[in-house]
Amino acid sequence: VNVHDLPTPSLLVDLAAFEHNVATMAEAHPGPALRPHVKAFKSTALARRLVEAGHRGFCCATVREMEGMAAAGLGDDLLLANEVVGPAATRLGTLARSGTARVTAAVDSAATMEAAADSGVTEVLVDVCVGLPRCGCPPEEAASLADLARSRGLEVRGVMGYEGHLMREQPAEDKAAKVEQAMALLVEAHEAVGGDVVSAGGTGTYDCNRWATEIQAGSYVLMDTEYVPHAPAFRNALILWTTVISVYQPAGWAVLDGGLKCLGMDHGNPTVEGGQCFVVSDEHITYFPDGDRPAVGDRVRVVPAHVDPTVALHERMYVVDGEAVVDTWEVDLRNW
Amino acid sequence: VNVHDLPTPSLLVDLAAFEHNVATMAEAHPGPALRPHVKAFKSTALARRLVEAGHRGFCCATVREMEGMAAAGLGDDLLLANEVVGPAATRLGTLARSGTARVTAAVDSAATMEAAADSGVTEVLVDVCVGLPRCGCPPEEAASLADLARSRGLEVRGVMGYEGHLMREQPAEDKAAKVEQAMALLVEAHEAVGGDVVSAGGTGTYDCNRWATEIQAGSYVLMDTEYVPHAPAFRNALILWTTVISVYQPAGWAVLDGGLKCLGMDHGNPTVEGGQCFVVSDEHITYFPDGDRPAVGDRVRVVPAHVDPTVALHERMYVVDGEAVVDTWEVDLRNW
């Protein structure tokens, strides 16, 4: 199939850029030194390529991602790098008890730890806040949480702490210094907690986080326009493939058949190749072409500003090598 | 089922608010005077409620919405209020030739008109630009497009023109005056084109557009925080139902288990009931509670800022009457 015969809007993965990204990261963090984050691509077909690149442990943000990875035979070592209680914890415990995957859960409170133990999860990481205003316990409480977990019979594998607030820090020296400060909190918590694992980091800090035993990066695989300045070793591999459906000759704008419902918009407008993005609405991008006006029916490549929520809006990604569509990866891990 | 037993994150529809919205619009634009826009809710189950309220014609933004409505037996009069060429036009023609729905397509160029005719679509509206920078031909070209369509054997039912750039105009008098100017362009095009239909309007102009024979409103059904100031007769009926998964006691923030991947973010942050939204990330909302700190496991209602892309991220909506879950509506028309 030629890319020009695909329906639009659809997601393309540029195979050369993807392979470059995977190889670059695997060289920096080979095998178990990287725990790729499934939330960034939500596809077991893509995850298999990361296994081929040497990574066998993954982290997930949702129970559905955990279940789907296990069902696909990719459950060697799955970390739910997120907190769950209630029905979600019950589902996670069911997965752990099924024996189809090694399941580790992040816990940052007595409540999430008890939920894990009650559900049948047997292994946990203590999630420590290292500055990002999100999940994670205060560092000084990590030891008592670990004690509580062990008193409930849970295996404490170590700690995790995500320095997400530093991914976009500039310049690089400042970033490195701040990552060191954040990781000092995690290392201290790890000394108090014990276990083998210090799980941290992301695409924006993969090259300066020297304290994590495993880096939790996901965005590097497909990248987006917003992340490139902060991790310039990686290339945009994800493209929204669209068709020109209207050209307004008096003013010179053209309209593409993809909009808000196929693009994560929290990082702002996407980049329209060969033009300037003007307005993005539910099903349309209106843009001004740089050169000659396109014709209705022309195809246009659009590069998303934020990969994770973009992928979550699509059923599948088409892998392209030049103009040839060489594979189709289902986004089988989306939804909850 | 009690709402507290539902998994999170999930979408709730407040039945009382929904019924209020449907009744309010049906009183203003009864029966065929309203052509509800399926793109705002993407659910045939919800569409059935609008049929019960007297509306039998619908408009859609995607071919999949058209196909799904037809397959559900809701194809009395389906307008694709959008331009298509290539594979999408072929699919639309296949639907038209199947006889399972009355299919009308919007066309705004020779290319889209030819694509409709070639595919087997038999009825069109000429889409006229009335000021919104998106689809629609220049008003002065409407007549020649209609002639071209008729020369290809197409039935021209009339015109459509969406004054989407005026939905949020303030104050109301200015909005009404600008809508009159925009609709003057459409009325003039209609006189040149002929046919019975003048399709226009939306939730923000339903009460001041007196020129359309049918109003294309969709957002009014579920509403969102961004639209309420512009159409205050309608109530927020859509809620993202979340669970508190973490509370950081030193700083006082709490974390909910829904984020960017279950919320349309192009209109900004959602409204967290009982607190102030602080940061929305892929799978989390961090917020500051107004009063007492919540406990891990508490449920929290979040009102989206933009309904359409929010619904497109979910598999289903749970209809709630107080705490009772009384129905489940599949979002069966999402994707492409």
Side-chain angles (χ1 to χ4, degrees), chain A residues 17-291:
Chain A
F18 169 80
E19 290 181 341
H20 165 86
N21 293 345
V22 171
T24 300
M25 185 62 92
E27 192 176 327
H29 295 281
L34 188 81
R35 186 184 284 280
H37 212 316
V38 171
K39 81 185 188 71
F41 48 81
K42 288 184 176 280
S43 164
T44 54
L46 192 160
R48 277 186 215 290
R49 298 301 192 100
L50 300 176
V51 173
E52 289 164 15
H55 314 298
R56 303 194 63 85
F58 289 89
C59 50
C60 298
T62 68
V63 177
R64 190 181 282 202
E65 290 168 8
M66 298 282 285
E67 292 167 344
M69 289 290 285
L74 300 169
D76 275 12
D77 185 358
L78 299 179
L79 166 63
L80 182 64
N82 199 359
E83 275 61 23
V84 282
V85 288
T90 303
R91 275 172 65 184
L92 187 67
T94 300
L95 176 65
R97 287 184 279 102
S98 75
T100 57
R102 180 178 184 184
V103 170
T104 303
V107 296
D108 71 351
S109 63
T112 49
M113 199 278 299
E114 296 284 355
D118 290 346
S119 71
V121 169
T122 58
E123 297 187 282
V124 296
L125 290 185
V126 176
D127 187 1
V128 179
C129 179
V130 296
L132 178 72
R134 208 158 70 194
C135 298
C137 68
E140 61 275 18
E141 294 179 15
S144 60
L145 263 182
D147 291 344
L148 190 61
R150 292 189 176 105
S151 77
R152 284 295 309 266
L154 292 166
E155 174 75 21
V156 180
R157 294 184 66 188
V159 295
M160 80 166 232
Y162 178 54
E163 71 278 24
H165 57 305
L166 302 176
M167 294 292 145
R168 291 156 186 84
E169 195 75 25
Q170 298 270 25
E173 311 84 76
D174 289 3
K175 185 195 279 188
K178 290 185 179 177
V179 168
E180 180 163 8
Q181 291 170 6
M183 288 300 106
L185 298 173
L186 190 60
V187 167
E188 193 178 332
H190 180 231
E191 285 165 6
V193 163
D196 297 328
V197 176
V198 179
S199 196
T203 297
T205 63
Y206 84 102
D207 57 351
C208 65
N209 188 325
R210 296 177 282 113
W211 301 270
T213 61
E214 54 180 44
I215 296 287
Q216 293 186 2
S219 299
Y220 81 96
V221 174
L222 298 172
M223 288 300 282
D224 52 45
T225 61
E226 199 270 346
Y227 229 141
V228 163
H230 307 290
F234 304 106
R235 301 177 188 160
N236 290 320
L238 194 73
I239 298 115
L240 182 71
W241 186 234
T242 65
T243 298
V244 176
I245 56 170
S246 185
V247 180
Y248 192 76
Q249 297 295 348
W253 71 65
V255 185
L256 305 174
D257 65 350
L260 298 177
K261 289 178 186 161
C262 45
L263 286 165
M265 291 297 294
D266 57 292
H267 286 170
N269 284 345
T271 300
V272 179
E273 290 191 6
Q276 305 302 315
C277 184
F278 180 43
V279 185
V280 184
S281 51
D282 280 334
E283 284 84 12
H284 304 95
I285 296 171
T286 301
Y287 80 108
F288 286 98
D290 288 333

Side-chain angles (χ1 to χ4, degrees), chain B residues 289-309:
Chain B
D290 288 333
D292 290 343
R293 291 192 185 158
V296 170
D298 284 357
R299 301 300 181 98
V300 174
R301 292 160 51 103
V302 176
V303 187
H306 193 182
V307 156
D308 301 41

Side-chain angles (χ1 to χ4, degrees), chain B residues 11-15 317-321 324-329:
Chain B
L11 276 186
L12 309 181
V13 175
D14 180 307
L15 183 61
M317 301 178 271
Y318 297 97
V319 185
V320 294
D321 184 359
V325 179
V326 296
D327 209 347
T328 303
W329 294 341

Side-chain angles (χ1 to χ4, degrees), chain B residues 98-321:
Chain B
S98 75
T100 57
R102 181 179 184 182
V103 170
T104 303
V107 295
D108 71 351
S109 63
T112 49
M113 200 279 297
E114 297 284 355
D118 290 347
S119 71
V121 168
T122 58
E123 298 187 281
V124 296
L125 290 184
V126 176
D127 188 1
V128 179
C129 179
V130 296
L132 179 72
R134 208 159 69 193
C135 299
C137 67
E140 60 275 17
E141 295 178 14
S144 61
L145 262 183
D147 290 345
L148 190 61
R150 291 189 177 105
S151 76
R152 284 295 311 266
L154 291 166
E155 174 75 20
V156 180
R157 294 184 66 187
V159 295
M160 81 167 230
Y162 178 53
E163 72 279 23
H165 56 306
L166 303 176
M167 294 292 146
R168 292 158 184 83
E169 196 73 27
Q170 298 270 26
E173 311 85 76
D174 288 3
K175 184 195 281 189
K178 289 184 179 176
V179 169
E180 180 163 9
Q181 290 168 8
M183 288 300 105
L185 298 172
L186 190 60
V187 167
E188 193 177 333
H190 180 231
E191 285 165 6
V193 164
D196 297 329
V197 176
V198 179
S199 196
T203 296
T205 63
Y206 84 102
D207 58 350
C208 66
N209 188 325
R210 294 176 283 112
W211 300 271
T213 61
E214 55 182 42
I215 296 288
Q216 293 186 0
S219 299
Y220 80 96
V221 174
L222 298 172
M223 288 299 282
D224 52 46
T225 60
E226 198 271 346
Y227 228 141
V228 162
H230 308 288
F234 304 106
R235 301 177 187 162
N236 290 320
L238 194 73
I239 299 114
L240 182 71
W241 187 233
T242 65
T243 298
V244 175
I245 56 170
S246 185
V247 180
Y248 192 76
Q249 297 295 349
W253 71 65
V255 185
L256 305 174
D257 65 350
L260 299 177
K261 289 179 187 159
C262 46
L263 287 165
M265 292 297 294
D266 56 293
H267 285 170
N269 283 346
T271 301
V272 179
E273 290 192 6
Q276 305 302 315
C277 184
F278 180 43
V279 185
V280 184
S281 51
D282 280 335
E283 283 84 12
H284 304 95
I285 296 170
T286 301
Y287 79 108
F288 285 98
D290 288 333
D292 290 343
R293 291 192 185 158
V296 170
D298 284 357
R299 301 300 181 98
V300 174
R301 292 160 51 103
V302 176
V303 187
H306 193 182
V307 156
D308 301 41
T310 297
V311 171
L313 282 159
H314 290 264
E315 293 177 285
R316 61 191 63 85
M317 301 178 271
Y318 297 97
V319 185
V320 294
D321 184 359

